[in-house]
Amino acid sequence: MRKLALVLACTFLCLAGCASEQPSNPVKSSIENNAGDSNSSAAADTPAPTESPAPAAEILSLGKKATLGDWKICAKKAEVKNKIMTSKYLYVKPQKGNTIVIVTLSAKNNGDKAETLLPKVGMQNTMITAILSSKDGEEYKPSDLMGYDKDLIGDTIKAGASKTGVIAFQVPKKAAKNKKDLTLKIGTVAESITYTLK
């Protein structure tokens, strides 16, 4: 009788031990949930990467030199005129209601080949352009002063050489009245310099 009781007790203890070694599904699922929670909380604790704000573009005053790619540039002065004498007898006049803003600019080609600072045509994303902007956000492209030897539009400058010339813009008289409110942006989509015409 004692042997039978001892065998039954041993069997009971063995079964109890085996049952405790294999966790039931609820325990397993709670471990999985906790692991999931720890991952989600770790993700929540990790701050999302933030983009640093782009630095504000510097606005240069007339007479300041700047570098743009292989070019050393300086917008020297700005004038408002009713016409430009392109030769002794020929001149360019703006359309009715407009006036001409003339920016005198010097440029040095520091590259190793002849280049055009302000080409008439080219790849929009890579060519250097000049845009005159009013405080209202209106933009004006340069006028082509055909035959005028001081016009920098389309003019090629040799490597190592410098040239001083002009860029002319037809602007409504109202916008040109306050020249100090106009800005000149020269450059490409990726890189540019801006002058105030004060």
Side-chain angles (χ1 to χ4, degrees):
M1 186 78 170
R2 282 186 180 179
K3 287 184 181 179
L4 181 61
L6 186 59
V7 170
L8 287 174
C10 286
T11 304
F12 178 76
L13 288 174
C14 285
L15 289 175
C18 289
S20 66
E21 286 177 9
Q22 295 182 2
S24 63
N25 284 341
V27 173
K28 182 178 179 185
S29 64
S30 69
I31 290 172
E32 289 173 352
N33 287 341
N34 287 342
D37 289 344
S38 66
N39 288 341
S40 63
S41 67
D45 291 343
T46 306
T50 56
E51 293 182 13
S52 56
E58 181 184 3
I59 298 181
L60 304 171
S61 56
L62 293 173
K64 295 283 185 180
K65 293 180 181 178
T67 301
L68 181 67
D70 288 333
W71 296 95
K72 191 79 168 180
I73 295 172
C74 179
K76 296 185 171 187
K77 67 178 181 176
E79 304 171 274
V80 179
K81 292 193 173 186
N82 292 324
K83 66 181 179 181
I84 300 173
M85 296 298 299
T86 57
S87 70
K88 189 173 181 179
Y89 302 106
L90 298 174
Y91 59 86
V92 174
K93 283 189 78 172
Q95 295 175 352
K96 189 175 181 180
N98 288 351
T99 190
I100 301 174
V101 175
I102 304 168
V103 179
T104 302
L105 189 82
S106 68
K108 182 179 181 185
N109 181 358
N110 289 325
D112 54 6
K113 61 181 180 178
E115 291 283 355
T116 303
L117 173 64
L118 297 165
K120 293 180 182 180
V121 293
M123 298 293 289
Q124 186 175 2
N125 292 337
T126 57
M127 69 183 275
I128 295 176
T129 59
I131 299 291
L132 193 70
S133 300
S134 69
K135 67 176 182 178
D136 300 327
E138 294 294 324
E139 294 185 339
Y140 309 97
K141 293 182 179 180
S143 298
D144 188 0
L145 305 174
M146 295 177 69
Y148 188 39
D149 62 348
K150 292 184 180 179
D151 187 10
L152 287 176
I153 303 298
D155 195 20
T156 300
I157 302 173
K158 294 178 182 177
S162 299
K163 180 165 185 183
T164 298
V166 299
I167 312 170
F169 302 86
Q170 277 201 51
V171 178
K173 289 181 179 179
K174 185 179 178 181
K177 189 174 181 180
N178 290 321
K179 189 177 63 173
K180 65 180 181 179
D181 294 330
L182 297 172
T183 55
L184 172 66
K185 183 178 178 181
I186 303 171
T188 63
V189 171
E191 180 186 12
S192 63
I193 55 176
T194 303
Y195 281 94
T196 179
L197 301 191
K198 288 181 181 178

